[in-house]
Amino acid sequence: MQPNKLKKDNHQYITEMDKQLNIKRIAVMATDGFEQSEFKKPIKALRNEGFLVDVISLKKGKIKGWKNTKWGKKFKVDETINQALATNYDMLVLPGGVFNTDTLRTSKLAVRFVTEFFEQEKPVAAICHAGSVLIETGLLKGKQLTSYKSIKTDLINAGADWKDAEVVVDNKLITSRCPADLPAFCKSIIEELKKVIPANLQ
C-alpha cells in the first residue's frame, strides 16, 4: 500500500489531504500510569497550534493516567506500538510517570520506536521520568538534558550531560524536569516543530 493511502481504522498511513495541507503529525507515547498533566498539557498545546497528535501505546482501547497520588482519567489510544511507524511522524513526545516509564522502557517495541526518531534525526521531547526510556536507546552519550532528579545519576551513567534547568534543548532533544516546567517544555516543543519539514513532505 502506498504511503498516501489511509487505513480508516488507524493512522498508519498519511492521507493525501495531509500532504496538501502541509500538516505536522506528532506521536505521544504512553501507557498506564503516565503523569496526567505531562500528557494533557503538551497535547493541548500542540492541537492549539493546529498540529495532529496520535496517542501511541502498547495496547488498544484506553490508557489510565496518574494524577497526584491516585489514578486519574482514561484516554483513547489512536495507534498501538506494533503498528506505528516513526517515518509518519515529525516529533515524539514522552510524558513521565513512574509506572508509565518503567513499563515502556522494558518494551522492545517502545524502545525501538524511540530509537528510530533519533536515527531519523527527528525531535524527541521527554519530561520527568521519561528520561529513563531514553536511556534504553543507548544513544545519550554527550547529549545535554535534564529530568526528574531521581534519575539524574542513571542518565549521567548513560553518558548524558545532565543539567538542572526547566528545559534543555540539545540538537532536537527537548527535556524538562517535572510538571512545574510544563510551560517552558510546551513552548520549546512548539518552537522546535516550527523548524521541521513535515514527514509527509520529506
Side-chain angles (χ1 to χ4, degrees):
M1 187 176 288
Q2 296 299 313
N4 61 358
K5 293 181 180 179
L6 176 68
K7 272 189 174 180
K8 291 184 179 180
D9 59 343
N10 61 46
H11 300 273
Q12 184 172 352
Y13 299 106
I14 302 300
T15 66
E16 189 64 37
M17 184 176 291
D18 284 352
K19 286 188 175 182
Q20 293 171 358
L21 296 177
N22 193 16
I23 295 175
K24 295 172 185 176
R25 186 182 291 270
I26 295 86
V28 176
M29 186 170 68
T31 191
D32 291 331
F34 57 86
E35 179 61 43
Q36 193 161 295
S37 62
E38 295 169 357
F39 175 87
K40 288 182 64 178
K41 291 186 178 180
I43 290 176
K44 181 179 180 181
L46 288 163
R47 288 179 173 160
N48 284 345
E49 291 289 331
F51 300 126
L52 299 178
V53 179
D54 288 347
V55 175
I56 312 296
S57 193
L58 306 180
K59 62 181 183 179
K60 295 180 180 179
K62 294 184 178 181
I63 51 176
K64 190 187 302 184
W66 184 263
K67 186 175 182 181
N68 299 323
T69 59
K70 59 184 180 181
W71 289 106
K73 294 182 178 179
K74 292 182 178 181
F75 297 85
K76 181 179 177 294
V77 172
D78 297 304
E79 191 78 273
T80 54
I81 192 62
N82 63 319
Q83 295 178 316
L85 300 174
T87 51
N88 283 350
Y89 295 97
D90 301 294
M91 172 182 275
L92 173 64
V93 177
L94 299 170
V98 177
F99 299 144
N100 166 55
T101 54
D102 277 357
T103 301
L104 290 178
R105 71 183 300 182
T106 60
S107 164
K108 290 182 179 179
L109 288 175
V111 172
R112 182 61 202 163
F113 191 60
V114 178
T115 302
E116 287 171 354
F117 278 84
F118 282 117
E119 292 175 344
Q120 295 170 25
E121 299 182 347
K122 293 183 176 183
V124 174
I127 185 168
C128 202
H129 287 86
S132 64
V133 182
L134 301 182
I135 290 171
E136 301 302 322
T137 68
L139 299 173
L140 295 185
K141 188 174 181 179
K143 292 187 181 296
Q144 295 186 8
L145 51 69
T146 191
S147 70
Y148 193 69
K149 60 186 178 181
S150 66
I151 61 170
K152 171 184 174 180
T153 301
D154 297 330
L155 287 162
I156 292 172
N157 289 340
D161 181 7
W162 194 89
K163 306 289 184 182
D164 185 11
E166 63 178 2
V167 65
V168 176
V169 181
D170 181 12
N171 192 26
K172 299 183 181 180
L173 175 61
I174 304 161
T175 52
S176 285
R177 301 169 299 189
C178 60
D181 297 335
L182 278 165
F185 183 67
C186 293
K187 181 174 182 286
S188 294
I189 287 173
I190 301 303
E191 289 174 349
E192 188 63 39
L193 269 172
K194 289 181 176 179
K195 304 174 188 176
V196 173
I197 299 173
N200 55 14
L201 297 181
Q202 292 179 16

